[in-house]
Amino acid sequence: MASRMISPLTIVLTKIFSRGFYRANAGLLLFFFVILISYTILINPAGTMPHEMFGFYQLIVMLTFISSPVTMTVIFISWLLYTVKSWQYVTAQLAVSENCFLFYSTTSLGKLRQLRSWWWMQFVITLPITIYGILAVALGIANHHYLLPIISILFIFFLITVSAAIYVWLANRLSAGTVAPLALKLPVRWKKPFFSLFLYHIIHKIKPGGIITKIFSIFCLTSGAYSMFSSNRHDTRVAGLLILTAVTGHLYLIYQEHRFEVMTLAFSRNFPYSRNRHFLYITLRYLLLLLPEMILLFIMGPPLIAMLLLLYAISVMLFFRGLLYWLGLNMNIYLPVVFAVYILLFWLIMYGYLWPSAGMLLLLAYGIFYCRYYKLQPNE
């Protein structure tokens, strides 16, 4: 029975595209999983909800995102971006010469059979989303939430079906040479300063990851806006924890920035720029990258507190970038080290060392950068 449901074409498509997608994006998926668990377990219990009655329930609500339509809308946008990223990967792989046989083997079948095989392939790609949907339905029924879990399941089904239809349409085009990766390019051209090249790289190459990162970061700030600037404005621990989590959400972009510098801009080390100038360029780049969060901070709270929180955010980002100069492009080592640093900074904030830790991180970031910038790193 199972062999009839899973056709040979489905197995081939899953091996080529689904497995390849997870291999290509393993670091990104692991990173967001670590950040989600960190935010859910560490930040949420630090609030004012009584642990005895609502701690576990609130943890489940944060994990499944079924508590409000606004939150569900944010999650739907992130799911759509995840799906668009899968479209980009699959269409790029369809253009590879080794996969040209698919244009002849798949089109020999009926459109409905093609759609079913592509549907199961996309279903495997969207398993992280699908598992959430199943969990949302189970928890929604258990806690008498019905509408949002059902809508989430329907939305997931819609995304998978539309994706499968797009793949069938691409596979049935007359020539394999007509398939091109989905891309959105800015039609405007202007001068690009050296420090801004990575920002353009985000727009040109890693738009989905960049947009998801900013959505997560802004969601962290807006979800805790009341706690960040409540009547007790002298206690900035909650604000510091939210800023720390939002900045940690930029790890993917920080890693891609270092990779871009090592792989694409290695020649820039021969430029007549001092290390101090390069460090200032990185700082300016992070200021521009955090511009949406900066605007939110100044809107939600006093300018002085917002300025200090921005300083802390920049210090954390610079330190995370400095770790890459030390550890290199080894994600398997980098992520555990960053998670350990996150835990350490979490407790420093809880004990009231937010501002001293900002100064310490800034000094450490500069020291690592100055000592390691011209030295070869592992895996380079």
Side-chain angles (χ1 to χ4, degrees):
M1 186 68 178
S3 60
R4 292 182 180 179
M5 292 182 61
I6 304 177
S7 66
L9 177 59
T10 304
I11 296 174
V12 170
L13 295 178
T14 301
K15 288 183 177 180
I16 294 176
F17 299 105
S18 301
R19 293 182 181 180
F21 178 81
Y22 283 115
R23 284 195 299 267
N25 299 278
L28 178 62
L29 294 172
L30 176 62
F31 159 71
F32 279 109
F33 175 77
V34 170
I35 294 303
L36 177 62
I37 295 300
S38 303
Y39 180 79
T40 303
I41 294 178
L42 297 179
I43 296 300
N44 194 54
T48 58
M49 294 286 289
H51 291 262
E52 297 79 4
M53 297 181 61
F54 302 106
F56 181 73
Y57 175 78
Q58 188 72 0
L59 174 63
I60 295 298
V61 170
M62 288 300 299
L63 182 62
T64 56
F65 297 104
I66 60 174
S67 58
S68 71
V70 175
T71 305
M72 185 62 70
T73 301
V74 175
I75 298 304
F76 279 5
I77 294 174
S78 64
W79 286 355
L80 178 60
L81 293 172
Y82 180 90
T83 305
V84 170
K85 188 171 183 65
S86 70
W87 294 350
Q88 291 179 322
Y89 177 82
V90 172
T91 53
Q93 291 301 309
L94 282 173
V96 175
S97 58
E98 289 81 357
N99 297 327
C100 287
F101 71 94
L102 292 172
F103 291 92
Y104 308 101
S105 58
T106 61
T107 54
S108 63
L109 301 174
K111 294 289 183 64
L112 185 59
R113 294 183 63 184
Q114 294 181 48
L115 182 67
R116 185 171 59 187
S117 295
W118 284 109
W119 195 96
W120 281 107
M121 185 279 298
Q122 184 68 18
F123 172 80
V124 175
I125 287 181
T126 57
L127 267 179
I129 299 175
T130 306
I131 291 174
Y132 159 81
I134 296 173
L135 183 62
V137 169
L139 293 174
I141 294 174
N143 294 280
H144 306 290
H145 294 281
Y146 303 105
L147 181 60
L148 294 182
I150 292 174
I151 292 177
S152 67
I153 288 293
L154 293 176
F155 186 69
I156 293 170
F157 181 83
F158 172 77
L159 289 178
I160 297 176
T161 304
V162 169
S163 302
I166 291 175
Y167 301 147
V168 171
W169 174 72
L170 290 174
N172 282 271
R173 298 180 70 174
L174 295 178
S175 172
T178 60
V179 178
L182 298 176
L184 298 174
K185 296 183 178 180
L186 294 177
V188 182
R189 295 178 178 271
W190 54 76
K191 293 183 179 180
K192 304 174 180 63
F194 175 74
F195 70 86
S196 66
L197 292 181
F198 176 69
L199 301 178
Y200 288 100
H201 178 70
I202 296 175
I203 299 173
H204 181 59
K205 291 291 186 180
I206 53 175
K207 286 185 290 291
I211 295 174
I212 292 174
T213 298
K214 302 311 291 184
I215 289 176
F216 175 82
S217 176
I218 293 174
F219 173 74
C220 287
L221 298 184
T222 54
S223 64
Y226 177 78
S227 298
M228 286 177 66
F229 301 105
S230 60
S231 57
N232 186 11
R233 298 187 178 185
H234 297 288
D235 187 359
T236 57
R237 287 180 298 178
V238 175
L241 292 175
L242 291 170
I243 291 295
L244 175 62
T245 304
V247 169
T248 309
H250 287 76
L251 275 183
Y252 171 72
L253 296 181
I254 295 173
Y255 180 85
Q256 290 297 328
E257 178 196 19
H258 187 73
R259 188 174 185 273
F260 179 68
E261 179 184 300
V262 171
M263 300 297 185
T264 307
L265 297 179
F267 61 88
S268 64
R269 299 187 183 185
N270 298 319
F271 287 176
Y273 297 157
S274 65
R275 279 175 284 192
N276 292 334
R277 187 171 181 178
H278 279 292
F279 190 78
L280 290 175
Y281 279 165
I282 297 175
T283 305
L284 180 58
R285 188 158 53 243
Y286 288 163
L287 284 172
L288 294 176
L289 192 61
L290 292 177
L291 188 59
E293 290 82 354
M294 189 189 315
I295 295 173
L296 269 178
L297 288 175
F298 280 95
I299 290 176
M300 292 188 302
L304 179 59
I305 298 297
M307 186 67 69
L308 292 174
L309 290 173
L310 178 63
L311 174 63
Y312 180 78
I314 295 296
S315 301
V316 174
M317 292 186 73
L318 289 172
F319 181 73
F320 285 161
R321 177 63 191 281
L323 289 177
L324 286 168
Y325 284 107
W326 178 33
L327 302 173
L329 293 171
N330 193 333
M331 184 67 80
N332 293 329
I333 298 177
Y334 180 64
L335 279 180
V337 170
V338 167
F339 186 70
V341 172
Y342 179 92
I343 300 297
L344 176 62
L345 294 177
F346 170 84
W347 287 112
L348 286 175
I349 293 173
M350 291 300 293
Y351 281 100
Y353 294 102
L354 177 65
W355 311 128
S357 63
M360 177 190 67
L361 290 174
L362 189 58
L363 291 176
L364 287 174
Y366 178 77
I368 296 175
F369 173 84
Y370 193 87
C371 295
R372 299 292 304 178
Y373 181 73
Y374 286 111
K375 294 183 179 180
L376 294 176
Q377 298 121 32
N379 300 324
E380 281 194 20

